[in-house]
Amino acid sequence: MELSKNYLPNEVEANWYQHWLDKGYFNSVPDEREPYTIVIPPPNVTGVLHMGHALNNTIQDILIRRARMHGKNACWVPGTDHASIATEAKVVAMLRERGIAKSSLTRDEFLGYAWEWKEKYGGIILQQLKKLGCSLDWNRTSFTMDDDYYQSVIKIFVQLHQKGSIYRGKRMINWDVRAKTALSDEEVIRKETKQKLYHIRYQLVNADNTPLKAIGEKAESPNNSPLGDGGIIIATVRPETIMGDTAICVHPDDERYNHLHGKFAIVPLVNRLIPIITDEYVTMDFGTGALKVTPAHDMNDNQLGQKHNLEVIDIFNDDGTLGEAAQIFVGVERFEARKKIVQQLEAENFLVKIEDYTSEVGYSERTDTVVEPRLSLQWWIKMKDISSPALKAVIPARAGTDGEEEIKFYPPKFKNTYRHWMENIRDWCISRQLWWGHRIPAWYDEDGNVYVAESLEALHAAHPETAKLPLRQDDDCLDTWFSSWLWPFEVFKGFSNPGNADIKYYYPTNTLVTAPEIIFFWVARMIMAGFEYMGEKPFSEVYFTGIVRDKLGRKMSKQLGNSPDLLGLIDQYGADAVRFGIMVSSPAGNDLMFDESALEQGRNFNNKLWNALKLVRGWRSRIEATPTLVQSIESISSTTDASLPDHLSTLIAHHTPVPPHHFAMDWFTNRMNQVKSEVDGLMKQFRLSEALKTVYSLIWDDFCSWYLEWVKPGFEQPVEAAVYHTTVEFFEEMMQLLHPFMPFITEEIFHLLNEQPVDLCVKQVDAFQPPVQKVLEQGELLKKVITSLRDARNKNQVKPKDTIRLHIQTASPAAYHAIENILSKQVNAASVSFTNVLVANTIVVAVENDKFYIESEKELDSATLKNDLLKDLQHQQLFLLSVQKKLGNERFVQNAKPEVIELERKKQADAENRIRTIEESLAGLN
């Protein structure tokens, strides 16, 4: 089969994914193997694949593929979330295009359109995950409004209500004026926003409404003001809410306002009399130190209002327009009303001044609309009732110290965030003013009595008297997170079908991969639900990904236009290159600065693998089966004659070099085992990016740049059969190591290397042996010597094709006999000899404790060589001084880790050796 010049991912990826599906490799059923289970964070049915999804799902796929290859029964459950707010907005937009208003439809009619939309568009993102190579068990696809799932959500609501953990009450909530629904605190995104701070004068009066001559802040207005000086100045960013003011509050210790305690003020424009109260909540040095209190439209003001028994005046409609209670500008949108009110305040001389001001403003996560704090009658869960086991599972706190966690966080820094939220947990507003979702199972009679049951039939059965009453079901649906907190067990029907085979086998799941911004939305609540309904944790580990940002550090978003077309990138670079680019840029738990150059690196890596494949396959026609003198060498893992096999000791005694491929194969075997060990450790710590870089370095550097160069035959020369077959085995092992990260190209190369009895996707990983350190050290020495000699040749303009004679001055010549042939081949040395003395008129190179003298037929430029040596000597002396200074610093030596100190000492010894070598070389030139 003729291979293409470059790897063509588009021709490979679809074929292999379909092959894996046809073989059923991703499907899982309970058996005798150890399960490894991941449930996908269900994307919204409105979603399309973006960079955040790519990162999250690539990580999950790496973990699940690795588990599958290690003999575990890997089960990755896909599914989608119904996403009440986002989906309802999509359906309303679709209806608008058809000329239909939601208000003209009954609930059932609207839900008919919603299901139509869901069936047409709701699974797009799952299909897109296939292009990324995600090995999900598609037979297990779940949806948060599947029938069984729906009934489980309703039943849990009823149980919590019966337990007394769910209640209905009027409290301050976050209101989305565009979606016209309540939001939880976690659904509000705080953004630094440029605003204006408006200073407004309120007239001061006595209890009998007579003007009070007093001062707050001196009025910056003409002396002919109708209010004169009898005013108190309030600074606010929300002048549109003054019509809801029911008090002015000052700090009791603020001397500026002592004489105003118990007095009154008049709200501008609406002329309402309000008291001046005192409370330590007020910050004296913010604004004017006087605070307008609007209990219906600010969370903190509401608490003040309850404390001081203030009137509550709600001036807004559901859509953010001013309502009848505002008295002025009724029906005007709130921000448009702000402009009109400011104009009127200025016209009537109430506006003192306007300042630029920046502060955090809450925006709806779903609609990006400024959130309106609002008093509203909603359904709530008492979170403290069910939160304790979830806190202990992550923060055990045994006997005052942290014990072994049931659930481990990676990185562990997120434990502090979790602890803070759980220890300060507030009740959860679970009702949403939407039709798409799980409808609240509560009914009201004409007297306002509330009945909660799983269905109307269940209600009548429990309360027969209700059968004759006209009942109305609550119009609201439940918060989307109230359904997704059941996800880890209800995807296996653990609540709807307790004790079934799947839930007993797959639950608790192993690893959850998610973003830290939903640690409260979802992670904490799933842990609570797991303990509450399954009696145990939902998962053992949580890996928190970073946020994908652009090169400027900005979070990717549609609004900024900095989110790339992921499917377009897959078409351009291939899924493997995209996966590589994402993972190589993604340090554990830290944000990913996305740069398309990382994808180019992934594509280059693909081509490097492809070129290595073509090189190795090209050896097939040149295989020579003739045995060589030392084919039976068992090991050259030691450099001392006493520990070498007899025949190898004989070779060394007669200065017969070991054939290069034997050391190369032995070294790469050990290097492979070393990398397998490192990768295993990194994966257990969820340091996936580092694991990928380790495999990348093994392939690009050790295999392609070194091993293949050491074993490849000369031009038109034969290659030993043992070399070819061993090299193919190495290649196959590397593809197995790389497969979880880059599944498509590895499967393709695996099958192009050999006729395979099994697909790489399910090929089981063999146990690896501990690497032999002496062989690894010899390999590193060889690479270092080759690099140093090549650099020296290049620096002294000795061309690669020019042959040299190499003389080695070393205390242990035996260490070089095993690598002598490779060394001479790589530096084009006609001969290699050992010496105990300085060789004059040569290029001298120091590597660790050894010296190498390069003797060239080309006449050396002594003056240039001497000048270069002097420069190098000066550099080494300065470097040595800096190292000695560091080691002479007692604070550094006392505080630094032992390995850091050891590294500095090695730097000192290397510099000293290099200085001695340079000085000897200079002496030889004189």
Side-chain angles (χ1 to χ4, degrees):
M1 174 185 172
E2 186 73 23
L3 297 182
S4 59
K5 180 181 178 182
N6 292 318
Y7 175 64
L8 303 174
N10 293 335
E11 297 181 6
V12 169
E13 293 175 353
N15 290 338
W16 276 120
Y17 198 86
Q18 189 58 51
H19 173 79
W20 296 328
L21 288 180
D22 292 343
K23 289 287 188 178
Y25 291 150
F26 306 158
N27 302 338
S28 173
V29 293
D31 60 24
E32 72 287 349
R33 290 175 294 167
E34 177 188 351
Y36 181 81
T37 314
I38 295 177
V39 293
I40 196 173
N44 291 349
V45 287
T46 59
V48 293
L49 205 60
H50 58 61
M51 294 305 298
H53 292 130
L55 171 63
N56 183 281
N57 288 284
T58 296
I59 290 170
Q60 290 174 83
D61 195 46
I62 290 167
L63 297 175
I64 212 78
R65 284 181 182 273
R66 180 174 168 80
R68 192 179 291 123
M69 296 170 78
H70 279 75
K72 296 180 182 178
N73 189 346
C75 179
W76 185 12
V77 180
T80 49
D81 187 281
H82 64 281
S84 292
I85 297 175
T87 305
E88 187 146 326
K90 292 280 188 183
V91 176
V92 168
M94 176 189 76
L95 292 172
R96 191 182 300 121
E97 290 176 1
R98 299 183 186 181
I100 303 170
K102 177 187 172 184
S103 57
S104 69
L105 301 174
T106 66
R107 186 187 192 103
D108 287 342
E109 287 171 340
F110 177 81
L111 289 176
Y113 285 114
W115 279 106
E116 174 193 327
W117 188 95
K118 186 266 177 187
E119 294 305 318
K120 186 173 182 180
Y121 300 106
I124 289 175
I125 191 167
L126 297 183
Q127 296 304 313
Q128 292 171 337
L129 287 174
K130 295 178 180 179
K131 287 202 70 174
L132 195 60
C134 295
S135 55
L136 292 134
D137 184 349
W138 299 108
N139 291 341
R140 294 183 175 274
T141 303
S142 291
F143 178 50
T144 50
M145 282 176 59
D146 288 339
D147 289 343
D148 287 344
Y149 204 119
Y150 193 107
Q151 291 308 314
S152 294
V153 172
I154 300 303
K155 186 177 251 184
I156 281 174
F157 180 96
V158 173
Q159 287 186 6
L160 284 171
H161 185 266
Q162 290 171 344
K163 184 181 175 182
S165 295
I166 283 183
Y167 65 95
R168 189 168 181 248
K170 192 169 188 179
R171 296 176 54 181
M172 289 296 293
I173 52 98
N174 303 292
W175 184 260
D176 185 325
V177 300
R178 182 177 298 173
K180 297 182 185 176
T181 183
L183 303 171
S184 68
D185 290 344
E186 291 76 33
E187 289 171 301
V188 178
I189 308 299
R190 311 297 301 184
K191 299 182 187 178
E192 284 285 324
T193 305
K194 290 182 179 180
Q195 302 182 79
K196 299 291 184 184
L197 189 63
Y198 301 90
H199 291 247
I200 303 168
R201 183 169 55 255
Y202 288 56
Q203 182 181 354
L204 292 165
V205 295
N206 294 299
D208 60 2
N209 211 13
T210 58
L212 177 70
K213 280 286 183 180
I215 53 101
E217 179 179 303
K218 277 290 185 181
E220 295 179 19
S221 58
N223 290 329
N224 63 354
S225 163
L227 300 179
D229 289 331
I232 185 169
I233 310 299
I234 306 298
T236 180
V237 294
R238 305 193 67 202
E240 69 277 13
T241 64
I242 65 172
M243 296 83 74
D245 291 350
T246 56
I248 288 175
C249 190
V250 296
H251 195 283
D253 298 334
D254 193 334
E255 295 179 356
R256 295 173 295 175
Y257 301 119
N258 282 348
H259 58 293
L260 298 184
H261 297 179
K263 303 298 182 182
F264 295 83
I266 295 177
V267 179
L269 308 186
V270 294
N271 299 318
R272 181 187 306 115
L273 189 70
I274 58 174
I276 296 173
I277 61 174
T278 63
D279 198 285
E280 292 180 350
Y281 167 75
V282 177
T283 304
M284 287 189 280
D285 58 359
F286 174 76
T288 65
L291 175 76
K292 65 190 277 306
V293 184
T294 315
H297 301 293
D298 183 272
M299 303 284 185
N300 296 315
D301 287 9
N302 184 259
Q303 292 179 14
L304 271 177
Q306 291 180 44
K307 182 177 179 180
H308 293 277
N309 199 26
L310 298 177
E311 184 183 4
V312 178
I313 302 173
D314 186 351
I315 65 167
F316 287 125
N317 295 319
D318 289 356
D319 60 358
T321 59
L322 294 184
E324 293 292 337
Q327 301 180 49
I328 58 174
F329 302 118
V330 174
V332 177
E333 190 275 330
R334 55 186 170 156
F335 294 121
E336 184 60 31
R338 176 183 296 179
K339 296 176 187 176
K340 294 180 179 296
I341 286 166
V342 168
Q343 290 171 357
Q344 188 166 340
L345 287 169
E346 186 172 27
E348 297 186 20
N349 227 355
F350 292 111
L351 184 64
V352 177
K353 63 180 177 180
I354 303 174
E355 296 176 326
D356 289 330
Y357 182 68
T358 300
S359 67
E360 283 194 342
V361 174
Y363 289 79
S364 167
E365 184 197 38
R366 300 299 181 191
T367 63
D368 201 38
T369 303
V370 174
V371 167
E372 191 62 51
R374 190 180 188 201
L375 267 177
S376 183
L377 186 61
Q378 302 286 344
W379 289 91
W380 305 80
I381 296 183
K382 298 176 184 176
M383 296 301 281
K384 286 193 180 295
D385 289 359
I386 57 175
S387 62
S388 181
L391 176 58
K392 291 177 182 176
V394 178
I395 317 287
R398 294 175 188 163
T401 60
D402 283 0
E404 185 67 22
E405 312 98 325
E406 282 189 76
I407 301 173
K408 294 184 182 294
F409 281 8
Y410 297 90
K413 66 181 181 182
F414 290 109
K415 285 171 61 177
N416 291 331
T417 308
Y418 182 85
R419 183 207 297 265
H420 177 77
W421 188 77
M422 292 293 288
E423 289 178 345
N424 297 279
I425 198 164
R426 293 191 285 183
D427 289 357
W428 174 13
C429 177
I430 57 171
S431 47
R432 298 292 181 267
Q433 288 61 56
L434 301 162
W435 283 352
W436 173 251
H438 304 83
R439 191 173 184 180
I440 290 176
W443 284 263
Y444 307 92
D445 63 21
E446 292 178 331
D447 296 328
N449 296 312
V450 183
Y451 305 90
V452 172
E454 292 176 36
S455 65
L456 196 57
E457 292 74 16
L459 174 59
H460 292 334
H463 302 279
E465 71 278 8
T466 61
K468 299 177 181 179
L469 297 176
L471 298 175
R472 174 183 60 83
Q473 186 175 356
D474 199 309
D475 284 326
D476 292 352
C477 71
L478 288 162
D479 177 15
T480 297
W481 299 103
F482 189 85
S483 54
S484 58
W485 74 329
L486 316 182
W487 189 253
F489 56 81
E490 192 49 30
V491 294
F492 299 113
K493 302 190 185 304
F495 187 82
S496 54
N497 183 16
N500 72 75
D502 280 358
I503 194 69
K504 288 195 289 187
Y505 182 74
Y506 294 113
Y507 188 91
T509 66
N510 294 78
T511 308
L512 176 73
V513 180
T514 189
E517 59 259 36
I518 57 173
I519 190 171
F520 315 127
F521 277 123
W522 194 45
V523 179
R525 290 168 181 166
M526 280 191 292
I527 298 173
M528 292 180 210
F531 283 108
E532 182 75 11
Y533 298 107
M534 294 292 108
E536 58 182 322
K537 62 187 178 183
F539 30 71
S540 300
E541 305 149 336
V542 184
Y543 176 85
F544 292 103
T545 66
I547 296 170
V548 183
R549 300 184 182 276
D550 64 15
K551 289 188 287 186
L552 299 177
R554 301 174 303 175
K555 185 177 179 180
M556 288 188 171
S557 68
K558 292 179 181 177
Q559 286 84 2
L560 289 175
N562 61 348
S563 186
D565 174 9
L566 185 60
L567 294 176
L569 293 176
I570 292 175
D571 288 338
Q572 182 179 355
Y573 293 97
D576 285 325
V578 170
R579 290 167 65 118
F580 175 93
I582 289 169
M583 290 309 304
V584 83
S585 310
S586 180
N590 292 321
D591 290 354
L592 182 162
M593 299 297 180
F594 177 75
D595 190 332
E596 200 167 323
S597 63
L599 275 58
E600 293 172 6
Q601 184 184 0
R603 180 169 59 189
N604 292 341
F605 187 32
N606 278 342
N607 287 329
K608 186 78 169 181
L609 289 168
W610 199 248
N611 289 334
L613 170 68
K614 290 193 292 183
L615 174 68
V616 173
R617 275 173 54 106
W619 294 352
R620 286 180 178 177
S621 60
R622 299 159 64 186
I623 295 175
E624 179 185 62
T626 306
T628 64
L629 178 63
V630 289
Q631 266 187 329
S632 61
I633 291 177
E634 296 172 4
S635 171
I636 52 172
S637 58
S638 172
T639 56
T640 59
D641 291 341
S643 61
L644 291 171
D646 290 342
H647 55 273
L648 187 53
S649 297
T650 303
L651 287 173
I652 290 175
H654 292 86
H655 299 289
T656 305
V658 176
H661 48 265
H662 289 285
F663 174 78
M665 290 189 293
D666 195 24
W667 168 73
F668 198 77
T669 297
N670 283 280
R671 179 71 183 117
M672 182 86 78
N673 283 331
Q674 182 184 35
V675 167
K676 286 178 180 177
S677 176
E678 289 175 0
V679 168
D680 192 57
L682 291 168
M683 293 297 288
K684 286 175 181 175
Q685 298 173 57
F686 290 90
R687 292 159 64 185
L688 277 65
S689 181
E690 293 174 59
L692 174 57
K693 289 173 184 175
T694 300
V695 177
Y696 174 82
S697 178
L698 172 76
I699 296 171
W700 190 291
D701 299 327
D702 296 314
F703 184 73
C704 295
S705 298
W706 292 110
Y707 172 79
L708 290 179
E709 288 298 314
W710 292 352
V711 302
K712 75 178 181 183
F715 182 67
E716 295 186 348
Q717 295 298 307
V719 60
E720 272 194 49
V723 173
Y724 172 74
H725 292 299
T726 302
T727 302
V728 168
E729 288 174 9
F730 288 155
F731 216 145
E732 289 174 345
E733 286 185 78
M734 291 187 304
M735 294 303 94
Q736 194 171 25
L737 261 177
L738 183 61
H739 179 78
F741 300 93
M742 303 173 71
F744 293 111
I745 190 170
T746 51
E747 188 79 83
E748 179 77 357
I749 289 176
F750 181 70
H751 285 273
L752 289 172
L753 284 167
N754 254 330
E755 288 291 328
Q756 303 291 356
V758 65
D759 289 325
L760 186 57
C761 180
V762 290
K763 186 178 188 298
Q764 299 302 286
V765 173
D766 295 326
F768 56 86
Q769 299 298 317
V772 180
Q773 290 302 318
K774 285 192 175 181
V775 175
L776 293 173
E777 289 167 6
Q778 267 192 299
E780 288 306 306
L781 174 64
L782 177 58
K783 291 193 287 183
K784 194 179 291 185
V785 170
I786 291 170
T787 301
S788 298
L789 296 182
R790 284 175 173 173
D791 288 346
R793 286 181 61 127
N794 182 56
K795 191 174 183 180
N796 290 276
Q797 298 181 345
V798 178
K799 297 177 181 178
K801 66 180 181 180
D802 295 339
T803 57
I804 61 167
R805 287 179 293 280
L806 183 64
H807 308 279
I808 305 175
Q809 186 176 358
T810 178
S812 54
Y816 286 92
H817 287 300
I819 60 178
E820 185 179 327
N821 258 347
I822 297 177
L823 178 58
S824 61
K825 173 186 172 185
Q826 294 292 296
V827 299
N828 198 13
S831 64
V832 177
S833 63
F834 295 89
T835 181
N836 292 319
V837 297
L838 173 72
V839 181
N841 296 316
T842 58
I843 303 167
V844 185
V845 179
V847 179
E848 296 184 357
N849 296 320
D850 299 337
K851 299 185 185 71
F852 300 83
Y853 303 98
I854 300 174
E855 184 181 353
S856 172
E857 294 178 359
K858 177 184 176 182
E859 186 175 345
L860 297 176
D861 183 347
S862 298
T864 301
L865 186 56
K866 183 176 181 179
N867 187 50
D868 289 343
L869 286 170
L870 287 170
K871 286 181 181 177
D872 197 4
L873 178 63
Q874 184 181 19
H875 171 76
Q876 293 296 331
Q877 288 171 335
L878 290 171
F879 177 74
L880 179 60
L881 280 173
S882 69
V883 175
Q884 289 172 333
K885 184 178 180 181
K886 189 179 288 187
L887 289 171
N889 184 329
E890 287 186 16
R891 182 177 293 179
F892 170 76
V893 174
Q894 288 173 357
N895 297 326
K897 294 180 180 179
E899 57 266 29
V900 173
I901 295 172
E902 186 59 33
L903 178 62
E904 293 301 319
R905 286 176 177 156
K906 187 177 185 309
K907 289 178 182 178
Q908 179 180 11
D910 289 346
E912 289 169 345
N913 287 335
R914 178 64 185 154
I915 288 169
R916 279 196 298 272
T917 301
I918 295 171
E919 289 173 343
E920 290 172 7
S921 301
L922 286 168
L925 290 173
N926 293 330

